[in-house]
Amino acid sequence: MLRQSQAAIAAILLAACSPPAPVAPESEAAPAPETISIPDAEVPVPRESIAEMHGATCTWGEVVSSGISIWSYTCPNLRLVADETLPGFQREENGADGTVTRTPVIQFFAKPAAAPIGAVIDAVRAASPGAESCEIEPGSHDDHVLMPTGEAAVAYSKFINGEAEEPSLPCGPLGPFEAGGRTFRVLADAPDKVIMIDWGTEPPVYDPDTLRAAN
């Protein structure tokens, strides 16, 4: 027993006197991982009227369709969705009975980049039955509108002056309408597209001023 105790003490003293394990030079230590700071994407501020209408209960975010980006609110029962076949965007709404309704609100028309906005008139007429006598004309705020010409313009003038009961839609669904405005514009960074925008009768969930070519 004494012999075992002496052996244990000797082992402890030997370990205490042993030189420490070599430490790797600092130059051989693994480098610390590099921290890369990624700036947040620039988020546009929506029009004040749109923010007042939808901002309290909805989420602001980007939606992309066919190479075009727009910022919109996504609400519990109302949102903007991409439609690559339109091409453009649709307004999607959930009804109280569980039904889902989609309405085209932004539509793209292709043209040569250097061509004027009127170059899409045939495609616009095809998408808006009843617009055979209509042309794309300058409107307000640098936008354009689809308006009747000739006899169709005379008939529409009588309608809006209360002298006739028709036509309420002189250029079809993409033309003038007393319950909401529709405009056409060419984007500065997407000159090969003409964008039709339906502004609706109340502030929409989307902000047309944020329309841009997608990155």
Side-chain angles (χ1 to χ4, degrees):
M1 189 65 157
L2 179 60
R3 191 173 296 173
Q4 290 178 350
S5 300
Q6 290 176 340
I9 294 172
I12 293 173
L13 293 175
L14 181 62
C17 297
S18 300
V23 178
E26 292 186 4
S27 59
E28 295 180 6
E34 182 181 1
T35 301
I36 301 175
S37 178
I38 302 176
D40 293 334
E42 182 178 352
V43 177
V45 177
R47 287 170 178 254
E48 184 176 353
S49 59
I50 295 175
E52 288 178 352
M53 185 78 173
H54 305 287
T57 59
C58 309
T59 302
W60 182 242
E62 185 181 27
V63 187
V64 178
S65 177
S66 299
I68 298 297
S69 162
I70 188 171
W71 283 73
S72 174
Y73 280 110
T74 297
C75 306
N77 295 312
L78 181 64
R79 65 200 62 82
L80 190 71
V81 295
D83 186 341
E84 302 284 344
T85 62
L86 192 58
F89 300 93
Q90 295 209 47
R91 179 181 184 269
E92 183 178 87
E93 185 172 8
N94 296 343
D97 58 354
T99 59
V100 177
T101 303
R102 281 190 171 191
T103 306
V105 290
I106 298 176
Q107 189 168 357
F108 312 149
F109 297 93
K111 73 175 184 64
I117 191 171
V120 299
I121 187 59
D122 289 341
V124 171
R125 287 173 177 166
S128 188
E132 294 79 11
S133 299
C134 300
E135 298 287 348
I136 297 176
E137 301 178 350
S140 59
H141 305 293
D142 296 325
D143 275 332
H144 286 68
V145 289
L146 184 65
M147 294 296 293
T149 61
E151 294 181 1
V154 174
Y156 185 59
S157 178
K158 291 181 179 180
F159 169 76
I160 60 177
N161 289 324
E163 302 171 7
E165 295 183 358
E166 294 292 340
S168 60
L169 293 172
C171 296
L174 301 187
F177 180 46
E178 62 271 21
R182 301 176 184 87
T183 60
F184 295 77
R185 67 175 63 168
V186 178
L187 301 184
D189 56 357
D192 61 336
K193 290 183 177 64
V194 173
I195 314 294
M196 187 287 299
I197 303 163
D198 188 335
W199 292 85
T201 56
E202 296 180 342
V205 290
Y206 47 90
D207 188 345
D209 284 347
T210 65
L211 282 161
R212 299 286 186 275
N215 294 329

